[in-house]
Each structure stands twice: as structure tokens, then as C-alpha cells.
């Protein structure tokens, strides 16, 4: 792991209404070759944070840097550096994986001579090849997710942002996705993922931020968080922190 900070958040706040805050002073960083996980229940603010990191939304206050660049000044340059995957991604239901790959390759100005090899490699890895000419509407949830991953990372970005990457996937597809994330980590990518699945956070993440009601209330790897709470299981560590910091 290098010391290069690829994602940096400092005192991030986000309000959608005058009377309430969704994100309340969140700060953390992610280095190259590191997987950082945001773990929290639904409604904790995970997706809101991911949208701000990916420049789809702006913070009400605070500072975000991606590869040293500010979204307010360098949004287009940041888009070249990030791959963002969310369950909210809507693929054209009448298109095919083959056509979508070509479309996004052209969008990212990838050398046309390289596209066939890159496509074959990606499709072989995720078992997309037999479904390459089928319409998206005909594909399973898992296959759609794998097509989305292939497209999201088509430009080989150094920063990868995954919002609930294994949500709704079967066991085999989840294993393919998590194995791939570990490969990307080994290549030196900076990866941030949000999840509410304990095993994903524990198995994949070098550091985990526990997000409760819009705040990171603790940070560390699973063993550090268990030590902090005096628990023997990571799940128990989370629930201890949640009960301590959640307010109805």
C-alpha cells in the first residue's frame, strides 16, 4: 500500500432541508491499494456520501478531494479517475451488453483497437459472453450487476466507488464480485464501498467506518472495532456502537 491519498473528506455536512442534516461532519480518507468500507443500516447516510464522493451531489459544507482535485472545480477530470457503481444504475433495457460496452468505450475515448480485447477479457471474467447479444431486460439481476461492473470500470479508473456492490446477488455472483474487488485492490486501486452486510465489510475492508445517523462513530478494522467495544464478534461490535450512538 502506498501513502497516496486518493479520496479525502473533511468535515462533510449535507442538508436537504433547513431543519435536518443527513450527513453531520464526516471525515475520512482512502489511500491507493486500500479498501474502505462504510457500514451502517438503511438510512444512515451511506448512499448520500457515495453520491457526493462521485460528484452526483454536492455537500452543504466541507471539503472533498478526489486524486487531489475538487469536484467543484474539476468534475470532468474526476469523472476520468473514478468508476461508480450503484444498484440505482439503469441500463438501457432494450440494448445488449455488447452494444453498451461499445457505447461506453466510445464515451471514454478508449482506443478502438483495444476495445475488442478489453471486452473479451471482461466478458470472460464475469461469464457475460453467452449473454452478450441478449437484451438487458432478459438478463437476471446478477448478470445485470456484472454488466454494470464491466461498464463502470471500462476506463480502468484508479478510484472505485461501489454502493452496495453485492446487494441482491446470489452467493456465486457475490463471490465473483468480491474476488474481483480484491484483485483491484492488489493493483493499487483505491476502493470505497458502502454495505450493510457484515461479512462483506469484515472480509474485504482494510478499514471500516461505522456510520450511525449521518456520523462516523468509530473507524478501524474489524479486530480494532471488536477491541474498542470489548466484543468477540464483529456483528456485536457494530450493534454495541449503534446502540451507544443512535438516538430516536
Amino acid at each position: 500500500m502506498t501513502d497516496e491519498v486518493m479520496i479525502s473528506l473533511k468535515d462533510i455536512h449535507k442538508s436537504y432541508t433547513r431543519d435536518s442534516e443527513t450527513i453531520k461532519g464526516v471525515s475520512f480518507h482512502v489511500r491507493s491499494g486500500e479498501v474502505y468500507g462504510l457500514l451502517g443500516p438503511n438510512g444512515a447516510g451511506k448512499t448520500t456520501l457515495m453520491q457526493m464522493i462521485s460528484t452526483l451531489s454536492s455537500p452543504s459544507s466541507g471539503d472533498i478531494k478526489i486524486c487531489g482535485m475538487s469536484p467543484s472545480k474539476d468534475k470532468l477530470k474526476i469523472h476520468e479517475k473514478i468508476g461508480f457503481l450503484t444498484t440505482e444504475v439503469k441500463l438501457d433495457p432494450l440494448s445488449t451488453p455488447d452494444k453498451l460496452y461499445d457505447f461506453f468505450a466510445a464515451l471514454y475515448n478508449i482506443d478502438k483497437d483495444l476495445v475488442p480485447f478489453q471486452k473479451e477479457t471482461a466478458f470472460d471474467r464475469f461469464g457475460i459472453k453467452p449473454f452478450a447479444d441478449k437484451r438487458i431486460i432478459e438478463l437476471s439481476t446478477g448478470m445485470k450487476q456484472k454488466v454494470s461492473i464491466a461498464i463502470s470500470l471500462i476506463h480502468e479508473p484508479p478510484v472505485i466507488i461501489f454502493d452496495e456492490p453485492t446487494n441482491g446477488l446470489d452467493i456465486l455472483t457475490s463471490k465473483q464480485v468480491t474476488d474481483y474487488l480484491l484483485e483491484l485492490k492488489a493493483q493499487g486501486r483505491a476502493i470505497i464501498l458502502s454495505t450493510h452486510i457484515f461479512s462483506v465489510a469484515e472480509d474485504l475492508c482494510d478499514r471500516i467506518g461505522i456510520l450511525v445517523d449521518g456520523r462516523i462513530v468509530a473507524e478501524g478494522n474489524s479486530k480494532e472495532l471488536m477491541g474498542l467495544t470489548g466484543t468477540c464478534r464483529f456483528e456485536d461490535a457494530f450493534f454495541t456502537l449503534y446502540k451507544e450512538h443512535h438516538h430516536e
Side-chain angles (χ1 to χ4, degrees):
M1 187 186 300
T2 71
D3 290 331
E4 185 176 4
V5 173
M6 306 296 282
I7 303 170
S8 173
L9 279 71
K10 294 182 180 178
D11 197 25
I12 298 299
H13 292 257
K14 180 67 175 181
S15 300
Y16 290 104
T17 65
R18 186 175 297 179
D19 300 326
S20 64
E21 268 193 319
T22 302
I23 302 299
K24 307 167 185 176
V26 167
S27 300
F28 64 84
H29 64 271
V30 187
R31 300 181 185 276
S32 56
E34 180 179 30
V35 180
Y36 186 94
L38 287 170
L39 178 68
N42 290 339
K46 301 188 301 295
T47 295
T48 298
L49 276 171
M50 301 298 259
Q51 289 175 342
M52 288 190 286
I53 295 167
S54 62
T55 79
L56 295 178
S57 177
S58 299
S60 301
S61 64
D63 185 50
I64 295 177
K65 288 284 195 303
I66 308 296
C67 299
M69 297 181 288
S70 171
S72 62
K73 299 177 182 178
D74 302 300
K75 185 176 288 189
L76 292 180
K77 290 182 180 179
I78 288 173
H79 289 175
E80 296 174 0
K81 299 291 186 180
I82 64 174
F84 179 48
L85 179 71
T86 171
T87 52
E88 297 301 314
V89 168
K90 304 299 182 186
L91 302 174
D92 180 356
L94 300 181
S95 188
T96 66
D98 188 69
K99 290 178 181 177
L100 284 171
Y101 195 96
D102 289 345
F103 172 81
F104 281 94
L107 194 66
Y108 281 104
N109 295 314
I110 295 173
D111 189 331
K112 290 182 179 180
D113 293 334
L114 298 177
V115 171
F117 174 75
Q118 288 188 357
K119 184 197 300 183
E120 184 174 9
T121 301
F123 282 16
D124 281 346
R125 165 182 288 280
F126 290 114
I128 299 171
K129 208 167 185 178
F131 305 93
D133 296 316
K134 287 188 176 292
R135 294 186 302 172
I136 296 299
I137 198 171
E138 299 175 289
L139 302 181
S140 67
T141 299
M143 187 54 63
K144 289 176 185 175
Q145 182 80 326
K146 289 189 281 190
V147 172
S148 295
I149 291 173
I151 289 171
S152 299
L153 304 182
I154 197 170
H155 54 306
E156 299 184 343
V159 173
I160 297 167
I161 305 162
F162 275 3
D163 188 14
E164 302 283 2
T166 62
N167 196 30
L169 301 185
D170 61 60
I171 295 171
L172 293 177
T173 306
S174 294
K175 182 70 162 58
Q176 281 185 301
V177 171
T178 54
D179 284 351
Y180 187 45
L181 287 174
L182 290 173
E183 286 184 35
L184 293 171
K185 171 191 169 181
Q187 294 171 11
R189 317 289 182 95
I191 302 169
I192 178 170
L193 61 88
S194 71
T195 185
H196 61 272
I197 302 172
F198 295 112
S199 60
V200 170
E202 191 168 15
D203 294 343
L204 280 181
C205 300
D206 299 291
R207 287 184 298 130
I208 303 161
I210 304 298
L211 192 65
V212 178
D213 298 341
R215 292 187 175 90
I216 290 184
V217 299
E219 184 184 79
N221 60 39
S222 58
K223 289 182 179 179
E224 289 169 339
L225 292 168
M226 286 186 284
L228 177 67
T229 54
T231 55
C232 298
R233 295 193 313 153
F234 179 51
E235 289 184 34
D236 293 335
F238 171 81
F239 286 118
T240 297
L241 290 164
Y242 181 78
K243 289 175 184 177
E244 182 179 342
H245 294 280
H246 174 62
H247 303 290
E248 296 290 349

